Amino acid sequence: MAQYPSSFDKEGLLKCARGELFGPGNAQLPLPPMLMMDRITEISDDGGSAGKGHVIAEFDITPDLWFFDCHFPGNPIMPGCLGLDGLWQLTGFNLGWRGMQGQGMALGVGEVKLTGMVKPDRKMLTYYVDMTRVIDRKLKIGVANGRVVADGEEIYSVTDMKVGLATAQT
């Protein structure tokens, strides 16, 4: 993956969100406020627990994040689905980073366990995505396991996340 770096700052992630990193019609992160990370600290096509690639990313938590005002008034908590979406975003990013063509879409997840919460007093989430299978056919599919760690405490874990990249002809 020599054409792309092995880490990305916020501007690099925003470049991907604008469609400028992997090219038009290819893997793209969402723009804020749905962009669920501030930086990718590591990415590979051969690392991780299965040796099939990995991503580690971080998301700075501040009390003024948009979701704390609405989920829930008087008891602010980051929706667990946003943490899951961050893991999906990173799984698709790994496919685009490998040079695979097509627009990303979440295809499913095997199991999700939420064992903790993200409240406004948290400081940082760290996402860990370990690719377990990469299918490079007409439809590109990444299968991965993931974890979300808040200030050193694992709070979410998922198995068998599936993200696909499809071209308009697929």
Side-chain angles (χ1 to χ4, degrees), residues 63-76:
D64 62 344
L65 286 167
W66 66 274
F67 44 78
F68 288 134
D69 286 337
C70 56
H71 191 267
F72 296 97
N75 185 24

Side-chain angles (χ1 to χ4, degrees), residues 10-31:
K10 184 72 171 249
E11 183 51 40
L13 299 178
L14 292 173
K15 187 176 179 182
C16 179
R18 293 188 300 262
E20 299 166 1
L21 186 61
F22 303 131
N26 291 313
Q28 201 171 340
L29 290 168
L31 287 165

Side-chain angles (χ1 to χ4, degrees), residues 14-62:
L14 292 173
K15 187 176 179 182
C16 179
R18 293 188 300 262
E20 299 166 1
L21 186 61
F22 303 131
N26 291 313
Q28 201 171 340
L29 290 168
L31 287 165
M34 283 303 297
L35 178 62
M36 298 308 300
M37 74 266 334
D38 290 307
R39 67 202 141 270
I40 292 174
T41 59
E42 291 181 31
I43 187 168
S44 77
D45 62 349
D46 60 358
S49 61
K52 308 253 183 195
H54 81 293
V55 186
I56 300 173
E58 297 172 339
F59 184 39
D60 298 323
I61 302 299
T62 60

Side-chain angles (χ1 to χ4, degrees), residues 40-159:
I40 292 174
T41 59
E42 291 181 31
I43 187 168
S44 77
D45 62 349
D46 60 358
S49 61
K52 308 253 183 195
H54 81 293
V55 186
I56 300 173
E58 297 172 339
F59 184 39
D60 298 323
I61 302 299
T62 60
D64 62 344
L65 286 167
W66 66 274
F67 44 78
F68 288 134
D69 286 337
C70 56
H71 191 267
F72 296 97
N75 185 24
I77 301 167
M78 176 180 152
C81 60
L82 293 179
L84 175 59
D85 199 67
L87 292 168
W88 270 324
Q89 290 174 23
L90 292 164
T91 302
F93 187 92
N94 186 282
L95 297 177
W97 179 84
R98 291 168 186 257
M100 294 183 178
Q101 303 288 296
Q103 294 183 318
M105 66 197 94
L107 299 175
V109 64
E111 182 176 52
V112 178
K113 291 182 183 178
L114 306 176
T115 56
M117 293 184 284
V118 179
K119 297 187 82 54
D121 62 344
R122 296 285 194 172
K123 301 298 180 211
M124 187 172 64
L125 298 185
T126 305
Y127 297 96
Y128 297 91
V129 173
D130 289 317
M131 306 298 283
T132 58
R133 189 165 180 213
V134 177
I135 301 166
D136 188 2
R137 297 190 185 126
K138 186 174 183 181
L139 177 65
K140 297 12 176 148
I141 298 175
V143 182
N145 296 328
R147 300 180 298 125
V148 178
V149 174
D151 299 337
E153 173 193 355
E154 184 175 308
I155 59 167
Y156 308 156
S157 63
V158 303
T159 58

